[in-house]
Amino acid sequence: VLFRSLIDLAGTKSKVDWDRSAFEYLVSVSWQKDHNALITVANRTQTNFQTFELINNSLEIKAKHEDAKFIDVIPGQPRFINDDLLTVVDDSQSDTRLIQLNSQPLSPNHLQVLGVFGSAKDQIFFSGTSNAIDRDIYQISKSGKLRQLTNGGVNSASNVVSTDEATYLVLA
């Protein structure tokens, strides 16, 4: 296990613990400005993921995702969008990988979400495909308004930068 404790700038170490016998893999750790850290762990077969919020050196479950077959690791998530939790999950009813906000579907059923680049204000920037060939960049608002930013081919971005005046998406 790579992540067992936090060390502050003064060198003080604090232990962080979860059920390592049930969840052997540390999938991701993210820490956004003005938010607590999010820690995602998985079982060995990658059929069960849990995301915790680190609050005062203890873990609180924020999201669970189970699939009898396999769960892909989707880059850029989970993450906070303001105070809402964004996750990407496989929806078996629509056979679509969806963005969810607070466990509610946000992205449309026809669009497979491949990764999340970032967010600015109430906008989320992500990679998706509707045809298994192209990899386009999309923008979706928290209200569900979708905008396709690229059209065709394989497109990617590396970062979202936001100022008071403008939001920039750094294309890769």
Side-chain angles (χ1 to χ4, degrees):
V1 174
L2 299 173
F3 179 77
R4 291 184 180 267
S5 56
L6 291 173
I7 302 174
D8 67 18
L9 294 178
T12 306
K13 188 184 278 191
S14 303
K15 188 175 180 181
V16 177
D17 211 6
W18 66 86
D19 183 355
R20 287 185 175 81
S21 62
F23 298 95
E24 295 100 334
Y25 295 131
L26 175 66
V27 175
S28 68
V29 177
S30 64
W31 211 327
Q32 295 170 256
K33 183 180 178 184
D34 300 325
H35 290 285
N36 295 317
L38 291 172
I39 299 167
T40 301
V41 296
N43 65 347
R44 182 171 299 279
T45 57
Q46 283 187 236
T47 57
N48 188 354
F49 281 36
Q50 288 190 352
T51 296
F52 300 97
E53 182 176 8
L54 180 64
I55 302 172
N56 298 324
N57 295 331
S58 63
L59 298 175
E60 179 181 305
I61 292 179
K62 294 297 286 183
K64 293 181 181 183
H65 187 54
E66 293 184 45
D67 187 299
K69 295 178 184 172
F70 187 80
I71 300 171
D72 286 319
V73 175
I74 307 300
Q77 62 88 38
R79 66 183 311 114
F80 286 108
I81 308 297
N82 301 324
D83 290 329
D84 299 312
L85 182 67
L86 178 146
T87 56
V88 177
V89 299
D90 290 320
D91 179 55
S92 59
Q93 291 178 337
S94 65
D95 193 29
T96 306
R97 185 171 297 137
L98 299 169
I99 290 177
Q100 289 188 336
L101 207 54
N102 297 327
S103 300
Q104 298 301 312
L106 182 65
S107 58
N109 288 344
H110 70 277
L111 191 58
Q112 299 287 347
V113 175
L114 304 172
V116 178
F117 301 122
S119 63
K121 300 174 180 120
D122 285 345
Q123 303 295 315
I124 302 153
F125 299 88
F126 67 97
S127 172
T129 184
S130 59
N131 62 25
I133 296 171
D134 297 317
R135 303 288 184 266
D136 286 307
I137 299 172
Y138 294 86
Q139 174 184 358
I140 193 167
S141 69
K142 285 176 58 175
S143 65
K145 183 178 178 188
L146 182 70
R147 182 174 160 215
Q148 187 171 343
L149 302 177
T150 61
N151 190 13
V154 178
N155 301 278
S156 185
S158 60
N159 203 0
V160 176
V161 180
S162 184
T163 66
D164 289 337
E165 294 81 32
T167 298
Y168 303 95
L169 181 65
V170 182
L171 299 179

